[in-house]
Amino acid sequence: MEISVALRRTKGFYEAVCALNTLQTNVSVLDQVRRERSELPELQLQAMQGFLHRTGLTVVKLDHLNIIHVTGTKGKGSTCAFTERILRDYGFRTGFYSSPHLVQVRERIRINGQPISKELFTKYFWEVFAQLDATKDSHGVSMPAYFRFLTILAFHVFLQERVDLAVIEVGIGGAYDCTNIIRKPWVCGISSLGIDHTSILGDTIEEIAWQKAGIFKPGVPVFTVKQPDRSMTVLQDRAKEIGCPLLVCPDLEQYESGPGPLSLGLAGQQQRCNASLALQLSKTWLQRYRQSDDQLAAPVVENRLVSQATAFKPSPIMVKGLEATEWPGRTQTLRHGPVTYYLDGAHTTGSMQACVHWFSQEIQQEESSNRGPVIRVLLFNATGERDSAAMLKLLEPCRFDFAVFCPNITETITENNADQQNFNVSVENMLTRCLDNQISWQSLSGTETKQGSESELLIKDRLPLLAKTRTHTLVFPCILSALQWITQGRDAVLATAGSPYLPVQPSVTVKAEPLREAAQVSVLVTGSLHLVGGALKYLDPSLAS
């Protein structure tokens, strides 16, 4: 279209990201959108079909992407990362769509494991945006919301770039998620189920399992990790209703791995079930690829709808793929001189339990090799309807010396972080949530509030933002200011990030003396993937380049 050509000539990557941000749901109408989604959820997929048609795509074209569709409450992104890496190592050209992004929005759409380039993102963004913008009036509707648009963009990119397969991670739920426009995936997967997004998916594990099972398709094999009995019953009923084989993955230890256990590129005990799921998804996809189109895609044990998947001996390529998998922000460790960061985007009680187990093991090993005092710091934030108090209760036994809270704002100059802007919640609400988290932590740890300890953190020539300092706890207005205070200039990577040090009150500086004198500072960043992504923007500059 001519309008598309004109837009591509005049607008670049930064303008594309800014235009994309206009599709975020404004705070004032977000509640209305949630109500509509809960009242008429089936209309969501009808609307998605309309948006898809306006861009020139059809569900029939999506059939050519040879899709692996994965849902779950926790571990679905890691499962996708394992699966994509294995199949890429087999020599296939892979597409991988995931959410959310950590630093740059183009991370959500990957070709051969790498985020698409700024040039490709810009090119394909304006092609899709222009077609939707040009047809919105004639259809009597507006532009698609943020996640819908990115899903359409991912499909467009994968088709244009002629990938051999696409690994698609569900956004929220499954049944009415916009990725469920897919008609004929080659295989589906379900990672561990738990309670999350209750305002959309329901308050019980049975309701959530029903939603997740919405991605089942007739005749398409589904693999699941072991689930609680109530969840598994729902999955079995849905598989029977829809008419698809459901197979339960074996423990990773059951696979024939040679002289030693399988080694994983992602740390944490919880990754072992994700790796088993990835092995089953990869093997089934490869079987389908090697068969003619009219053959069944996966083995069905004893011709039953629910079966135990068979453990097998992974090929050398599979073993290498599992070991080489990288998935930043999930059980990730970064060592910067005397400061070690432990980053995990855990944001449910289930995933936080796994995070605490991983962190406890890592910190014990780290401290045993250190000579001198070690200071433990928690950097935490949680968003939405997540139960912050429950997650903090799980973290309390880790014996942190400092608990630091901040919103998911990278820095107070918004024009420097277009990729990480969030219009779905106000700054005031974000800061209030941080202060509530601080109070919860003080209650859990038995910390007494000192009289007159409240202070105001003023950042020169910018908005006055609140920071309340109490014994062992602090609240900062942004991620950068929190990291700068925690590290006290001892992290060379952070010191060279190019951002000025944000001044704090003298009393807050005095409080940091143990951080300056410790032999080692260990920082756990958790509670939100957006928080982890904001931290990685400064701690791993390659992600922001």
Side-chain angles (χ1 to χ4, degrees):
M1 295 178 65
E2 292 183 5
I3 186 171
S4 176
V5 174
L7 283 168
R8 291 203 306 272
R9 285 176 179 169
T10 58
K11 298 185 178 181
F13 176 74
Y14 177 78
E15 289 79 12
V17 174
C18 290
L20 176 64
N21 285 341
T22 67
L23 304 181
Q24 291 192 42
T25 307
N26 190 278
V27 178
S28 61
V29 298
L30 188 58
D31 287 339
Q32 179 183 348
V33 171
R34 285 172 174 159
R35 286 195 300 272
E36 291 173 353
R37 184 178 288 173
S38 62
E39 293 168 0
L40 299 169
E42 64 278 3
L43 297 182
Q44 303 303 311
L45 291 181
Q46 293 181 25
M48 185 65 179
Q49 285 187 342
F51 290 125
L52 202 67
H53 179 73
R54 284 165 54 191
T55 63
L57 295 177
T58 64
V59 291
V60 175
K61 290 182 179 179
L62 302 187
D63 295 344
H64 300 296
L65 291 176
N66 309 331
I67 289 170
I68 299 173
H69 203 191
V70 181
T71 189
T73 304
K74 55 184 185 288
K76 63 182 184 291
S78 299
T79 297
C80 289
F82 280 128
T83 306
E84 184 278 331
R85 181 60 198 245
I86 289 171
L87 294 174
R88 178 172 19 123
D89 283 355
Y90 268 95
F92 294 105
R93 182 170 173 81
T94 62
F96 179 12
Y97 178 57
S98 64
S99 60
H101 62 276
L102 293 175
V103 179
Q104 296 195 57
V105 67
R106 56 194 180 89
E107 297 167 23
R108 298 183 183 225
I109 304 172
R110 295 171 180 260
I111 302 290
N112 285 337
Q114 296 299 314
I116 59 173
S117 67
K118 291 183 177 180
E119 291 75 20
L120 278 185
F121 183 93
T122 303
K123 171 188 174 183
Y124 291 130
F125 175 90
W126 290 119
E127 286 179 359
V128 174
F129 189 92
Q131 289 177 325
L132 288 167
D133 188 63
T135 56
K136 63 182 181 182
D137 293 334
S138 62
H139 286 77
V141 292
S142 60
M143 299 288 284
Y146 188 90
F147 185 76
R148 280 182 183 169
F149 182 94
L150 285 172
T151 303
I152 295 168
L153 178 61
F155 290 145
H156 179 67
V157 170
F158 296 154
L159 287 167
Q160 293 297 314
E161 291 296 309
R162 300 181 182 278
V163 299
D164 296 314
L165 71 134
V167 180
I168 306 294
E169 178 191 356
V170 167
I172 296 177
Y176 306 119
D177 184 76
C178 62
T179 65
N180 206 30
I181 198 77
I182 300 163
R183 298 187 316 163
K184 296 181 179 180
W186 278 20
V187 62
C188 296
I190 300 185
S191 64
S192 297
L193 298 181
I195 302 295
D196 197 16
H197 299 294
T198 54
S199 65
I200 298 173
L201 304 181
D203 298 322
T204 68
I205 193 66
E206 290 89 351
E207 290 176 301
I208 291 172
W210 188 94
Q211 291 280 352
K212 304 291 183 181
I215 69 168
F216 294 2
K217 302 294 187 298
V220 176
V222 180
F223 291 88
T224 178
V225 303
K226 293 178 181 178
Q227 307 285 0
D229 290 342
R230 292 186 298 162
S231 303
M232 187 59 73
T233 298
V234 175
L235 297 182
Q236 291 172 350
D237 290 345
R238 289 281 270 162
K240 182 177 180 179
E241 173 191 347
I242 293 170
C244 61
L246 175 65
L247 299 99
V248 181
C249 296
D251 293 334
L252 194 63
E253 290 70 24
Q254 294 179 252
Y255 292 83
E256 301 174 38
S257 57
L262 289 168
S263 178
L264 305 182
L266 305 183
Q269 185 66 27
Q270 73 278 14
Q271 297 295 353
R272 304 192 70 76
C273 64
N274 299 331
S276 176
L277 178 54
L279 286 172
Q280 297 291 336
L281 294 175
S282 303
K283 180 185 178 184
T284 303
W285 191 93
L286 288 167
Q287 287 177 328
R288 170 69 182 266
Y289 179 79
R290 291 162 181 162
Q291 293 170 340
S292 60
D293 289 342
D294 58 350
Q295 289 181 296
L296 290 176
V300 180
V301 181
E302 299 179 12
N303 199 30
R304 294 183 299 169
L305 284 174
V306 182
S307 309
Q308 181 68 39
T310 304
F312 56 90
K313 184 175 183 178
S315 70
I317 293 177
M318 289 178 173
V319 173
K320 177 186 174 185
L322 290 177
E323 187 172 10
T325 298
E326 296 179 353
W327 196 227
R330 289 80 171 176
T331 57
Q332 180 182 9
T333 303
L334 291 176
R335 292 180 172 83
H336 292 181
V339 184
T340 301
Y341 302 93
Y342 301 90
L343 305 108
D344 188 65
H347 53 272
T348 67
T349 52
S351 58
M352 189 59 72
Q353 286 175 328
C355 172
V356 168
H357 180 74
W358 163 71
F359 176 72
S360 299
Q361 288 187 322
E362 292 291 317
I363 199 72
Q364 184 177 8
Q365 190 173 18
E366 181 82 17
E367 292 180 357
S368 65
S369 61
N370 258 293
R371 296 179 180 178
V374 177
I375 296 294
R376 298 184 184 185
V377 182
L378 170 66
L379 179 57
F380 180 89
N381 190 41
T383 60
E385 60 198 20
R386 271 82 187 217
D387 191 343
S388 300
M391 287 192 284
L392 290 171
K393 186 175 183 179
L394 293 170
L395 288 162
E396 197 272 332
C398 293
R399 297 183 289 111
F400 292 102
D401 299 285
F402 293 93
V404 179
F405 305 93
C406 68
N408 294 341
I409 301 172
T410 53
E411 56 186 295
T412 54
I413 305 175
T414 57
E415 58 264 31
N416 290 346
N417 58 334
D419 279 274
Q420 294 171 314
Q421 287 184 3
N422 183 357
F423 301 135
N424 294 338
V425 62
S426 69
V427 174
E428 180 182 4
N429 286 343
M430 285 191 280
L431 289 170
T432 300
R433 182 72 177 268
C434 292
L435 296 172
D436 289 342
N437 291 339
Q438 182 191 43
I439 293 170
S440 295
W441 182 263
Q442 290 172 332
S443 175
L444 287 166
S445 61
T447 304
E448 295 295 331
T449 302
K450 292 184 178 180
Q451 293 294 324
S453 64
E454 292 188 2
S455 62
E456 192 177 67
L457 176 61
L458 298 177
I459 302 175
K460 189 175 181 181
D461 298 327
R462 299 173 196 152
L463 292 174
L465 294 170
L466 198 63
K468 297 188 176 182
T469 63
R470 301 175 181 178
T471 306
H472 298 118
T473 67
L474 298 97
V475 176
F476 286 91
C478 66
I479 297 170
L480 177 59
S481 60
L483 289 173
Q484 288 177 331
W485 184 85
I486 291 168
T487 57
Q488 292 294 302
R490 302 182 68 186
D491 180 352
V493 174
L494 190 62
T496 58
S499 298
Y501 189 90
L502 303 180
V504 296
Q505 294 286 350
S507 60
V508 180
T509 303
V510 171
K511 185 188 283 284
E513 185 175 352
L515 294 167
R516 294 189 291 271
E517 296 180 351
Q520 179 74 29
V521 178
S522 300
V523 187
L524 174 63
V525 184
T526 191
S528 165
L529 267 172
H530 299 285
L531 173 69
V532 169
L536 282 171
K537 175 182 177 180
Y538 302 106
L539 302 179
D540 187 354
S542 66
L543 294 176
S545 63

